[in-house]
Amino acid sequence: RDGSSALGIRVHLGGGAARIAFTARAGRSYSLLARDLVGASDWKRITESNPAILDREVVLTEPVVAGRGRLYRVVTPRIP
């Protein structure tokens, strides 16, 4: 583990959608997971990112449903 390394997720809400972004590091795979705030549902995989040669920005746009809050998390390595 690299104690100086941190992964941050940026979320922007607008226009009826959530724009979720993070910087994927070279050589690493990732899964973006989500779950509803209400009902303690299981985490569901929204998308995944395979390893690449260079660092890159990963951006996902997901529709926002009125009255439903969502939690997001990114995990590495990706979930098969």
Side-chain angles (χ1 to χ4, degrees), residues 34-73:
R35 73 176 194 177
D36 292 337
L37 280 173
V38 179
S41 62
D42 292 335
W43 289 98
K44 295 186 172 112
R45 185 175 57 212
I46 303 297
T47 191
E48 58 188 40
S49 175
N50 291 317
I53 296 171
L54 302 172
D55 291 356
R56 69 218 177 272
E57 188 76 1
V58 175
V59 179
L60 171 75
T61 301
E62 182 178 54
V64 173
V65 177
R68 182 182 83 181
R70 301 274 277 173
L71 296 173
Y72 296 96
R73 74 177 178 183

Side-chain angles (χ1 to χ4, degrees), residues 16-41:
R19 183 176 178 263
I20 303 120
F22 67 95
T23 301
R25 299 292 177 210
R28 293 185 178 241
S29 62
Y30 298 86
S31 290
L32 175 66
L33 309 175
R35 73 176 194 177
D36 292 337
L37 280 173
V38 179
S41 62

